[in-house]
Each structure stands twice: as structure tokens, then as C-alpha cells.
């Protein structure tokens, strides 16, 4: 043990504000309390230490760190009491410090050497960078709030530091924990001020919050007495896993995230000479492919093949063979004999690689990719290395699954955009441009670029039908299904325990019941991932083992697996019900819009584009350039606006009429954005879609995207509400036209006489928005079945 003094806080800005004294008085009080309650042999040990402290008069008074050098034997006794009895001091990062951590006066040799090498040489970097004065203020105020106001911050007192190991070249991570149980705090004034904790976040760390605390609770009003216990814990492996998990939770699996994950794998391996490659299994028509345009590719196999100019079909044939027989491959040294058996290793060796291994990665028992382990030197991939990497395999499975879904979504997007038929209202313009393109390029070796298809001075019409609280409903459905699944698992394990004797069942049953408790509250994305890990890597392998080796349990296990079938199982019933209801609404609304817009086109041609998410959005553009041969008049614009308001009424009543037919009743909101000025649109050849042109016109798109969740000014109320139609606008003259339409539909008893004229909150880059909001009269009955079946938009209205 070491009694050398180490100055750990060189910033005196906080220390000069605080009155503190170093003493063992809080420890003495603690020992006296324990003597009254302790019944074991520890009691004699506590008594011995207490008598020793009291016998040495200097130790019951205020001390200086220099005084304690003379009392090393007493400090060693304190170390013995405050650490596990069997702990080896040569393996502990442990120290005693002043009550406000400033100077360490007693420490293990391991901690002393670590600080001497790293802290004093400034080799340690705090992972979460915080100003030192602010950090110390946070620490002190957390103590004060906990002691005097019983307010415990959610964040603990641990601080994460990174240290680059010069031997491996890898960063190691340490948690520094400061134990303050032997620190007494005294308030020097008479009465503590009251605090409004609504002003503070879960962990006071914002400069504004600290400034409030400094005003209400000046640090010079408090006195600190006692000492602190400092300990370090190596959390490198956990930090590596957390880094991979964070990348998954935040879906940051592109760009620099691949590099972070590979670095985390190297940290797990504890060897800076090992390299890793990530190779997701992308397929087209169920055949493996490689996205050679992916700049983030980390696969040494694919990069070597690309550099060597290897024929794609040869490489794909190798991947197909592996896909059909996925198993670990280990080549600790790539020799000529190995290359003769497995030819693709030749291109890897030519890249300077001497050792190469390939591990299959699974997600839900499906192969989703491969993990490459390679080195430029001979490398032994043994059980110790594999066991370290095993903990990361579920996360890599999820990572590859995300990459595959992203690839498939990109394929679908291009497929739909590239091969979707053009609407008749605009196809004439494309035909014209194609003909001009053919004429200009006839006989030329190098084709000119085709001109952009543009329509100018079109009037935009935008509407959105959204399913109310769809995200909340999805989360609730997932939570309810998890409860069903875990209760079913608990019943299954309980039954199995009666049939066979296997201690592992009790352990898994215990974990299962813990998860049942957790699902009664909020489940975060990271906890959901942990639950999936538990089910996939603990529960399912055990159940399959039991089913295989104990035939009398087959019916019990099969019944559980039937319950978690996504298509028929009871554990997916809430999610299936929700999706069915959402699809029911979207299909009915989509068919209705398609049918009604066909009739609208007969009045004057317009461009109509419909988009589906959790609800339905649509854009309509009308103007002279859509139909040059038909004179355009603003009368057609007024007609389409009245049509839009009428269809929103019909859709509101349509979806309301569907409620009784849905297993999961869902409500919709209806939104219209009024924009009176004409805009220009162009067809993006690279994206195969229309988009607005010009800075002013882009503003229209920005507003469209931000108003779906806008709130009424100075309230927390959302503008869009079920049973109402909301119309957002900028200028009063825009609203006046729609006020006439609303009045007309009120006279028809289609809208209620509850019109509201509202100011809306400012949005990012958008201010001055206003809105009209009016209720829909549901007493006018619509034959919802006729609408959803496609009666060309004809709505049966009957006054109730």
C-alpha cells in the first residue's frame, strides 16, 4: 500500500469556494452504529479499529494529508474493512481521498502506478468531455441534493475514462467511482431554501441548472467533513459491447459506424494485430450479390476480389456454396496446400494476409452475413478468442439484418420508381421529350443528356389522412404481445420443471419472471434487444435441446413455439390486429381517393400522387401546362379545392364508419395545406419522381413536412384531431375562399357549426401559420362498404 500524496484536481476554482476538513469522524460514527447491530465476528474487528482510531488522538481531530503518513497501519485496517476480505490489493484500483476529491493520501500500488503513468502524464482522456469546474460542481451538488432533499439523480457518480494501451495500441476504458458515504455535510445557515425540481433534468448538468443551484445554494454555505473512497474498474469489454448496441439502437450502421464496430471487436479480442471484416449477405432473387459501390465495405474478401478483378460470377458461386453450407472456416496460416483446396484464398493471400477465418452470423436462425477474422501474421483463432467474440454475435446479426433491409428497401424504391407507369395527365410531356431526345441523338455516337421534364406555374393541393397515435399504438401492441409471450414461456417452463429435472430451467424461469416484471413498465429499444438476446440464445436452444432429448416434452415445447409464430401465434395477435386495422383504413382511403380522382380528371387534367406511410398523403398539381390544349381558368382551381374539402369530409366519415368493423378501433385526422401561389415542378431523372423547383417553392415542401404535428399557439394541443378537418394557411385571403366552402358544407349539414380560427406555434424556419378547424357531422351516414369497394367516388349520404 502507498502513502504518497497525489494531487488529482489541479483546478482550484471550486475548491476555493468550499469549506472542508479531512477527518475520520464519519467512519467512527459508522463503526459505533455497526457495533450496536452486528452479530457476527466482524463486530470484534470493528471494535478493534474503533479503539485504535480513538487511541490515536490525532485521528479523531481534523487532519492534513501529511499527518496520515504516520498512520499507515490504521489506514491498512480501514482498507481491510472497506474491501472484500479475499480481495488482492495487487489487483485493486483503490484509494482514499479528501472529502471533496482533491488529494489522494492512501492507495493501492496498482492505482498509484496507474495514476503516475497516465493522469500526471495526461494519457487519460475523459470519454464524455465536461469542463472540469462544471464536472466538480455537478458532483458536489449531486451530494447536496441527495443528502438534504432526498433527490437522487438518475446518473450515477461514475466517470468513464479511456486509456490507450501502448502494448496493444487499443483503448481501454475505466469507470472511476467516488464513494461519499464517509462524508458529512453541514449547512451553515438556519433554514434550507425550497427547490422547484421541475426546473431540473434527471441529472443537473446543464450550465443553466448549475447556475440556478449556485444562486439558491452557494457552496460556501456548506461544510464537508470526512473522506472519500475512490475505485477504478476496467469496463473495456462492456464498453465495446455497449458501442455496438448503441450503433444498432440508433441505426447508425453506415458510414463511420462500421469502423467503430470493428474497433469494438478488436477491443473484445484484446489484440490490435487482428483485423475484422463485416460481410452482410445481400441477395437478389435469392442469389448472393456484393454491393461494390458500397464505400464502407470492410470485407477483405470482397475488396481483394475487386482489386484483383475477379469475375463476379466466380465469387458469387463461392458465396452461394457457403450460403448453402454455412460453417466456421479457420485458416491459421494460408499455405499453398490450403489454396489448392480453396482457390478464393489465393486473392486474399495476395493482399498480404497470412491468416483468415470466416464465421457465419445468424439472425432468427437465418444466415444474414459473415464475420471475417484476419491478420498479416500467422494467427491462432482459439476457443478463448471465439468466446470473447461470441457475446457480439447477436448484435452483428441485427446489424446485418438492418443492412439487408436497407438494401432491399433500396431495391424496392428503385423498382417502384423506375417501372411505375406515368399518369396520363403528364405522359404527353414525357413522350414529347423522348421524341426530341431521339431526334437529337440520331446518328451520334455519344448520346446527349435528355432534357428535364418541367411544369411551370402549377397550383399545389396537399392533403394528409393520418392514423391517430399510430406510433403509440404500435408500442402498446408490442408490449402486450411480449407479456403474452413471456407468460406463455413461464407456463411452459413451469410444466417442464415437473416433467424433467434440469437446473437450467429454474434459472431461465427466474429470468423470465424478471422480464415479466419489466414489461409492466416502459421497455426501451436497448431492453428489447436484450430480451431478444435472452430468448434467442438462452431460451430457444434449451427448449430445442429438451424437445430432442426428452420425447415426452415434445407437445409442451411445440405448443410454445406455435404460440410465437408471427402469422398464427397468440404472442403476435396484438401486432397482427393493429396492422390489419391500419391496412384496412389505408386500403379503404386509398381506393376512395383513386376512384374520386378519376372523376376529378374529367373536369380538368391534373397530376395526382399518393403516398402511404401510417396513413395516406397526396399531392395534386393543376395548371395550364398540365393540359396546354385545354384553356385553364381559376374556376377549375376553386372546383378542385371544394372537391378536396368534400372528400376530406367523406373520408372522415368513411373511417369513422369503419370503426365497428376493425378488430382494433383506430381514428384518423384530416389535414389540408392551403397554398395560393403557383409553383414549378420538375421530374428528377435520378430519383424518378417529381419535385418542386426553386428556393421559394422548396419552402412549400418544408412547410408540408412540418405541419403534421404542429400545435396551437401557447398550448400543448395538437392541431389535428379526430372528427375534425384542419386547414393550415398563411394569409387571410387564402382562408376567405375556404370559409365560403365551409359555410356551404355546413348548410348541407356535412360540417358542424363549430368553426375555430387558430394561430399556430412557430416551427423550425416557419412562422406566422394560422389554421381553420371544423368538426365533421357524423350524423350524415355514409355507406362505407360502397366507398371501399370502389364506386367511382360516389358517396351515399343519408341524413340521420
Amino acid at each position: 500500500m502507498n502513502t504518497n500524496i497525489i494531487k488529482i484536481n489541479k483546478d482550484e476554482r471550486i475548491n476555493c469556494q468550499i469549506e472542508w476538513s479531512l477527518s475520520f469522524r464519519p467512519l467512527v460514527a459508522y463503526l459505533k452504529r455497526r457495533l450496536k447491530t452486528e452479530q457476527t465476528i466482524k463486530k470484534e474487528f470493528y471494535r478493534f479499529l474503533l479503539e485504535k482510531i480513538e487511541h490515536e488522538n490525532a485521528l479523531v481531530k481534523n487532519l492534513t494529508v501529511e499527518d496520515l503518513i504516520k498512520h499507515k497501519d490504521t489506514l491498512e485496517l480501514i482498507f481491510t474493512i472497506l474491501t472484500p476480505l479475499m480481495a488482492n490489493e495487487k489487483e485493486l484500483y483503490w484509494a482514499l481521498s479528501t472529502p471533496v476529491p482533491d488529494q489522494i493520501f492512501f492507495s493501492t500500488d496498482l492505482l498509484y502506478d496507474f495514476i503516475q503513468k497516465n493522469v500526471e502524464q495526461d494519457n487519460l482522456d475523459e470519454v464524455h468531455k465536461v469542463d472540469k469546474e462544471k464536472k466538480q460542481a455537478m458532483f458536489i451538488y449531486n451530494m447536496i441534493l441527495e443528502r438534504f432533499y432526498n433527490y437522487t439523480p438518475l446518473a450515477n457518480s461514475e466517470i468513464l475514462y479511456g486509456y490507450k494501451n501502448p502494448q496493444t495500441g487499443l483503448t481501454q476504458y475505466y469507470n472511476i467511482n467516488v464513494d461519499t458515504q464517509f462524508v458529512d455535510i453541514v449547512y451553515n445557515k438556519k433554514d434550507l431554501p425550497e427547490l422547484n425540481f421541475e426546473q431540473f433534468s434527471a441529472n443537473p448538468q446543464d450550465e443553466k441548472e448549475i447556475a440556478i443551484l449556485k444562486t439558491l445554494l452557494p457552496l460556501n454555505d456548506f461544510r464537508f467533513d470526512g473522506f472519500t473512497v475512490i475505485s477504478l474498474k476496467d469496463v473495456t469489454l462492456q464498453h465495446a459491447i455497449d458501442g455496438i448496441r448503441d450503433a444498432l439502437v440508433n441505426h447508425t450502421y453506415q458510414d463511420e459506424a462500421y469502423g467503430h464496430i470493428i474497433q469494438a471487436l478488436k477491443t473484445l479480442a484484446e489484440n490490435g494485430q487482428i483485423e475484422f471484416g463485416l460481410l452482410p449477405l445481400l441477395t437478389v432473387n435469392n442469389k448472393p450479390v456484393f454491393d461494390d459501390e458500397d464505400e464502407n465495405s470492410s470485407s477483405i474478401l470482397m475488396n481483394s476480389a475487386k482489386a484483383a478483378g475477379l469475375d463476379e460470377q466466380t465469387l458469387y458461386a463461392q458465396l452461394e456454396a457457403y450460403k448453402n453450407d454455412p460453417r466456421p472456416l479457420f485458416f491459421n496460416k494460408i499455405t499453398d496446400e490450403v489454396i489448392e483446396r480453396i482457390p478464393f484464398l489465393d486473392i486474399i493471400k495476395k493482399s498480404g494476409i497470412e491468416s483468415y477465418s470466416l464465421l457465419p452470423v445468424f439472425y432468427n436462425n437465418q444466415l444474414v452475413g459473415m464475420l471475417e477474422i484476419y491478420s498479416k501474421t500467422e494467427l491462432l483463432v482459439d476457443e478463448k478468442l471465439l468466446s470473447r467474440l461470441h457475446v457480439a454475435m447477436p448484435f452483428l446479426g441485427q446489424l446485418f439484418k438492418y443492412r439487408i433491409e436497407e438494401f432491399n428497401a433500396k431495391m424496392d424504391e428503385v423498382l417502384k420508381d423506375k417501372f411505375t407507369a406515368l399518369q396520363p395527365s403528364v405522359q404527353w410531356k414525357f413522350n414529347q421529350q423522348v421524341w426530341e431526345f431521339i431526334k437529337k441523338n440520331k446518328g451520334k455516337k455519344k448520346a446527349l443528356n435528355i432534357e428535364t421534364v418541367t411544369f411551370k406555374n402549377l397550383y399545389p393541393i396537399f392533403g394528409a389522412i393520418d392514423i391517430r397515435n399510430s406510433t403509440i399504438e404500435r408500442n402498446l401492441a408490442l408490449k402486450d404481445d411480449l407479456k403474452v409471450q413471456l407468460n406463455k414461456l413461464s407456463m411452459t417452463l413451469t410444466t417442464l420443471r415437473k416433467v424433467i429435472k434440469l437446473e437450467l430451467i429454474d434459472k431461465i424461469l427466474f429470468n423470465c419472471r424478471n422480464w415479466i416484471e419489466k414489461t409492466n413498465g416502459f421497455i426501451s429499444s436497448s431492453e428489447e434487444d436484450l430480451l431478444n438476446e435472452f430468448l434467442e440464445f438462452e431460451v430457444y436452444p434449451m427448449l430445442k435441446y429438451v424437445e430432442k432429448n426428452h420425447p415426452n416434452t415434445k407437445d409442451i415445447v411445440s405448443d410454445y413455439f406455435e404460440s410465437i409464430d408471427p402469422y398464427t401465434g397468440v404472442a403476435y395477435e396484438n401486432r397482427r390486429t393493429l396492422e390489419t386495422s391500419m391496412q384496412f383504413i389505408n386500403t379503404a382511403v386509398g381506393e376512395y381517393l383513386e376512384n374520386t380522382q378519376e372523376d376529378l380528371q374529367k373536369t380538368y387534367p391534373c397530376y395526382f400522387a399518393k403516398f402511404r406511410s401510417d396513413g395516406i398523403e397526396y399531392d395534386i398539381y393543376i395548371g395550364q401546362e398540365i393540359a396546354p390544349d385545354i384553356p385553364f381558368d381559376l374556376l377549375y382551381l376553386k372546383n378542385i379545392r371544394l372537391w378536396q374539402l368534400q372528400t376530406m369530409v367523406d373520408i372522415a366519415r368513411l373511417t369513422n364508419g369503419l370503426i365497428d368493423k376493425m378488430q382494433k378501433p383506430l381514428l384518423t385526422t384530416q389535414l389540408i395545406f392551403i397554398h395560393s401561389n403557383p409553383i414549378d415542378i420538375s421530374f428528377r431523372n435520378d430519383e424518378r419522381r417529381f419535385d418542386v423547383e426553386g428556393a421559394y417553392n422548396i419552402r412549400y415542401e418544408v412547410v408540408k413536412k412540418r405541419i403534421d404535428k404542429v400545435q396551437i399557439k401557447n398550448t400543448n394541443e395538437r392541431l389535428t384531431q379526430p372528427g375534425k378537418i384542419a386547414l393550415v394557411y398563411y394569409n387571410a385571403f387564402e382562408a376567405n375562399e375556404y370559409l365560403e366552402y365551409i359555410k356551404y358544407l355546413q348548410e348541407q349539414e356535412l360540417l358542424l357549426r363549430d368553426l375555430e380560427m387558430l394561430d399556430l406555434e412557430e416551427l423550425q424556419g416557419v412562422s406566422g401559420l394560422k389554421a381553420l378547424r371544423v368538426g365533421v357531422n357524423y350524423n350524415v351516414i355514409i355507406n362505407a362498404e360502397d366507398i371501399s369497394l370502389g364506386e367511382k367516388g360516389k358517396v351515399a349520404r343519408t341524413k340521420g
Side-chain angles (χ1 to χ4, degrees):
M1 300 297 291
N2 203 300
T3 55
N4 289 325
I5 299 168
I6 308 173
K7 180 75 172 176
I8 57 176
N9 181 31
K10 300 175 183 179
D11 191 334
E12 298 294 338
R13 287 176 294 177
I14 289 290
N15 286 348
C16 65
Q17 302 176 39
I18 301 172
E19 180 186 351
W20 60 264
S21 55
L22 174 62
S23 82
F24 289 135
R25 283 185 288 269
L27 176 62
V28 168
Y30 170 81
L31 293 173
K32 288 180 177 179
R33 290 195 303 271
R34 290 299 301 268
L35 283 173
K36 293 178 181 178
T37 59
E38 186 61 53
Q39 301 296 321
T40 68
I41 194 66
K42 292 180 183 178
K43 186 172 185 177
E44 297 306 317
F45 195 72
Y46 293 153
R47 180 178 286 110
F48 177 74
L49 176 58
L50 179 61
E51 289 174 353
K52 185 169 180 56
I53 292 174
E54 290 179 336
H55 178 71
E56 301 179 42
N57 292 329
L59 293 180
V60 296
K61 301 175 183 178
N62 289 347
L63 302 162
T64 66
V65 290
E66 291 79 10
D67 294 336
L68 291 168
I69 297 175
K70 309 170 188 175
H71 304 281
K72 183 177 180 181
D73 55 342
T74 304
L75 295 177
E76 288 182 345
L77 284 173
I78 294 173
F79 166 78
T80 306
I81 277 187
L82 298 183
T83 57
L85 189 60
M86 301 297 291
N88 185 348
E89 68 180 65
K90 295 180 179 179
E91 298 175 354
L92 284 181
Y93 294 96
W94 189 94
L96 298 179
S97 178
T98 50
V100 175
D102 177 46
Q103 299 176 80
I104 288 176
F105 54 83
F106 185 68
S107 61
T108 60
D109 292 335
L110 187 64
L111 180 64
Y112 179 80
D113 292 341
F114 183 83
I115 293 178
Q116 288 291 102
K117 290 178 182 178
N118 299 298
V119 175
E120 293 193 355
Q121 297 175 22
D122 207 22
N123 288 341
L124 272 181
D125 293 320
E126 191 175 352
V127 174
H128 305 295
K129 297 286 185 184
V130 180
D131 176 80
K132 290 185 177 179
E133 180 189 10
K134 179 180 170 184
K135 178 181 66 177
Q136 195 166 13
M138 287 163 49
F139 171 78
I140 294 169
Y141 276 118
N142 280 342
M143 276 200 296
I144 292 171
L145 292 176
E146 186 172 358
R147 296 286 180 90
F148 291 96
Y149 294 92
N150 197 29
Y151 179 81
T152 304
L154 294 180
N156 56 29
S157 58
E158 293 178 339
I159 303 169
L160 186 63
Y161 278 90
Y163 150 66
K164 191 167 185 178
N165 189 316
Q167 294 180 339
T168 64
L170 300 173
T171 302
Q172 293 176 232
Y173 294 92
Y174 294 87
N175 264 341
I176 300 180
N177 183 64
V178 181
D179 186 347
T180 60
Q181 67 171 315
F182 300 112
V183 177
D184 289 338
I185 308 174
V186 177
Y187 184 60
N188 295 327
K189 294 189 176 181
K190 184 177 180 182
D191 296 317
L192 277 164
E194 292 186 5
L195 296 184
N196 178 11
F197 285 97
E198 293 181 359
Q199 294 178 289
F200 306 110
S201 60
N203 184 38
Q205 55 185 345
D206 183 82
E207 289 185 7
K208 182 179 178 182
E209 295 173 352
I210 293 177
I212 294 172
L213 288 170
K214 285 183 177 179
T215 302
L216 297 175
L217 299 170
L219 290 179
N220 53 20
D221 288 348
F222 295 88
R223 181 167 53 82
F224 295 75
D225 179 66
F227 64 92
T228 53
V229 181
I230 298 175
S231 59
L232 272 68
K233 180 181 179 183
D234 189 336
V235 293
T236 303
L237 296 183
Q238 186 58 47
H239 186 269
I241 292 300
D242 289 344
I244 298 175
R245 183 185 287 117
D246 289 343
L248 294 176
V249 170
N250 299 318
H251 283 208
T252 55
Y253 45 87
Q254 301 177 43
D255 304 327
E256 72 279 0
Y258 266 39
H260 291 325
I261 290 172
I262 289 173
Q263 193 63 35
L265 292 172
K266 294 173 77 168
T267 301
L268 285 175
E270 294 187 336
N271 188 337
Q273 302 302 313
I274 299 178
E275 299 291 342
F276 294 91
L278 304 176
L279 181 55
L281 185 62
L282 309 178
T283 60
V284 174
N285 298 327
N286 207 33
K287 300 292 183 182
V289 297
F290 173 61
D291 185 1
D292 58 3
E293 297 299 323
D294 187 356
E295 297 178 357
N296 304 307
S297 172
S298 65
S299 169
I300 188 64
L301 171 61
M302 293 305 175
N303 291 339
S304 299
K306 187 177 178 181
L310 185 68
D311 178 58
E312 281 189 353
Q313 297 307 316
T314 302
L315 183 60
Y316 292 163
Q318 296 285 345
L319 287 175
E320 179 68 19
Y322 188 84
K323 174 174 170 281
N324 295 329
D325 184 22
R327 53 193 172 86
L329 300 176
F330 302 103
F331 307 102
N332 294 329
K333 185 175 183 181
I334 303 176
T335 62
D336 293 339
E337 182 183 351
V338 172
I339 292 173
E340 202 171 307
R341 289 188 293 110
I342 306 175
F344 78 80
L345 289 175
D346 184 43
I347 59 171
I348 292 178
K349 186 168 185 180
K350 288 178 179 178
S351 297
I353 305 304
E354 291 295 328
S355 175
Y356 181 83
S357 298
L358 193 65
L359 301 180
V361 180
F362 297 91
Y363 181 82
N364 284 344
N365 295 324
Q366 295 291 321
L367 181 69
V368 290
M370 287 76 76
L371 172 65
E372 299 172 302
I373 308 172
Y374 61 95
S375 176
K376 293 185 177 181
T377 59
E378 187 174 343
L379 172 70
L380 176 62
V381 179
D382 55 15
E383 290 184 1
K384 181 180 179 181
L385 174 59
L386 292 176
S387 66
R388 285 180 168 275
L389 297 176
H390 176 74
V391 69
M393 297 304 276
F395 301 110
L396 295 181
Q398 185 71 66
L399 174 78
F400 289 155
K401 179 68 174 174
Y402 286 158
R403 179 67 182 95
I404 291 169
E405 289 175 349
E406 178 204 39
F407 176 79
N408 292 338
K410 182 180 178 182
M411 290 283 293
D412 289 342
E413 180 184 358
V414 174
L415 183 68
K416 290 173 183 176
D417 286 341
K418 186 77 173 176
F419 299 105
T420 300
L422 292 168
Q423 293 184 25
S425 62
V426 295
Q427 186 166 347
W428 66 269
K429 187 91 175 221
F430 287 87
N431 294 341
Q432 186 181 66
Q433 294 286 45
V434 169
W435 172 235
E436 293 296 327
F437 176 79
I438 292 173
K439 285 194 300 180
K440 289 178 180 178
N441 289 282
K442 192 172 183 179
K444 293 183 179 180
K445 292 183 179 180
K446 186 176 180 180
L448 300 173
N449 290 330
I450 193 167
E451 291 185 14
T452 302
V453 174
T454 301
F455 294 91
K456 295 182 179 295
N457 296 317
L458 300 184
Y459 291 92
I461 308 290
F462 172 75
I465 300 94
D466 191 31
I467 295 175
R468 186 67 164 175
N469 296 330
S470 56
T471 302
I472 295 174
E473 293 291 350
R474 286 185 190 278
N475 292 337
L476 289 175
L478 172 62
K479 181 177 177 180
D480 291 339
D481 281 342
L482 289 177
K483 287 182 181 179
V484 171
Q485 180 175 355
L486 290 169
N487 282 318
K488 181 69 176 178
L489 176 60
S490 177
M491 293 169 57
T492 301
L493 295 173
T494 301
T495 305
L496 287 175
R497 193 169 58 173
K498 297 176 182 178
V499 177
I500 60 172
K501 183 172 180 58
L502 187 65
E503 280 71 21
L504 185 59
I505 294 177
D506 292 330
K507 188 257 185 186
I508 293 177
L509 180 58
F510 172 79
N511 290 343
C512 176
R513 287 170 176 167
N514 282 342
W515 277 112
I516 290 173
E517 288 295 321
K518 288 184 180 180
T519 55
N520 290 327
F522 172 76
I523 295 289
S524 66
S525 298
S526 57
E527 286 178 324
E528 185 182 336
D529 286 339
L530 291 174
L531 174 56
N532 288 331
E533 281 183 56
F534 166 66
L535 294 171
E536 181 125 1
F537 295 98
E538 292 189 45
V539 175
Y540 299 159
M542 185 275 293
L543 290 177
K544 289 176 182 178
Y545 169 83
V546 168
E547 183 181 32
K548 181 179 179 180
N549 292 278
H550 300 274
N552 57 332
T553 66
K554 183 176 181 180
D555 291 342
I556 302 171
V557 176
S558 296
D559 181 58
Y560 172 75
F561 281 115
E562 287 174 7
S563 72
I564 61 171
D565 186 294
Y567 301 101
T568 59
V570 66
Y572 280 82
E573 186 173 344
N574 290 291
R575 278 169 284 183
R576 288 198 306 270
T577 299
L578 178 61
E579 288 298 327
T580 299
S581 296
M582 292 177 69
Q583 290 177 15
F584 188 49
I585 289 176
N586 286 338
T587 300
V589 172
E591 289 184 359
Y592 172 70
L593 284 172
E594 288 290 347
N595 292 329
T596 54
Q597 72 93 16
E598 287 179 15
D599 283 341
L600 182 66
Q601 298 283 358
K602 297 173 183 177
T603 307
Y604 192 91
C606 57
Y607 179 78
F608 178 88
K610 176 166 58 71
F611 313 95
R612 175 181 293 194
S613 53
D614 280 350
I616 299 285
E617 295 180 3
Y618 62 85
D619 282 312
I620 303 174
Y621 299 100
I622 189 170
Q624 184 64 72
E625 285 211 6
I626 292 285
D629 298 331
I630 305 174
F632 177 76
D633 192 279
L634 289 179
L635 176 70
Y636 295 119
L637 177 61
K638 292 183 177 182
N639 182 71
I640 202 172
R641 286 174 171 171
L642 176 58
W643 169 90
Q644 183 187 31
L645 187 56
Q646 286 178 317
T647 55
M648 283 298 197
V649 172
D650 293 340
I651 288 171
R653 287 202 302 274
L654 165 62
T655 56
N656 185 66
L658 296 175
I659 290 176
D660 293 337
K661 300 180 182 179
M662 288 184 275
Q663 291 177 284
K664 172 67 178 178
L666 297 172
L667 302 174
T668 63
T669 62
Q670 292 70 225
L671 175 67
I672 292 171
F673 177 41
I674 307 169
H675 188 82
S676 295
N677 296 323
I679 64 175
D680 301 339
I681 63 171
S682 295
F683 189 77
R684 303 290 187 193
N685 294 333
D686 54 345
E687 298 179 11
R688 297 297 188 273
R689 66 181 182 87
F690 277 101
D691 202 356
V692 297
E693 279 287 333
Y696 177 80
N697 298 332
I698 290 173
R699 180 176 173 80
Y700 164 74
E701 284 291 323
V702 170
V703 176
K704 262 175 41 179
K705 288 178 169 60
R706 293 180 180 171
I707 58 174
D708 61 328
K709 293 181 174 61
V710 69
Q711 294 181 347
I712 298 171
K713 193 171 184 179
N714 299 326
T715 74
N716 292 323
E717 181 185 356
R718 286 263 294 270
L719 171 65
T720 55
Q721 296 292 334
K724 293 181 179 290
I725 298 173
L727 303 93
V728 177
Y729 64 96
Y730 266 114
N731 303 307
F733 76 88
E734 294 176 329
N736 291 337
E737 181 182 340
Y738 277 85
L739 287 172
E740 294 181 16
Y741 303 149
I742 291 171
K743 184 177 180 181
Y744 166 69
L745 295 179
Q746 286 174 333
E747 290 297 325
Q748 300 296 314
E749 298 186 20
L750 301 177
L751 293 176
L752 299 175
R753 299 182 184 276
D754 60 350
L755 178 65
E756 300 169 271
M757 304 185 75
L758 306 166
D759 290 328
L760 304 181
E761 66 176 353
E762 290 192 8
L763 303 175
Q764 183 181 356
V766 181
S767 60
L769 288 177
K770 301 177 182 298
L772 304 174
R773 188 167 68 180
V774 63
V776 177
N777 185 4
Y778 286 141
N779 290 327
V780 177
I781 300 171
I782 286 186
N783 189 334
E785 184 176 351
D786 286 347
I787 297 171
S788 61
L789 290 176
E791 291 298 316
K792 296 295 181 184
K794 295 177 181 177
V795 181
R797 298 185 178 92
T798 306
K799 294 180 181 179

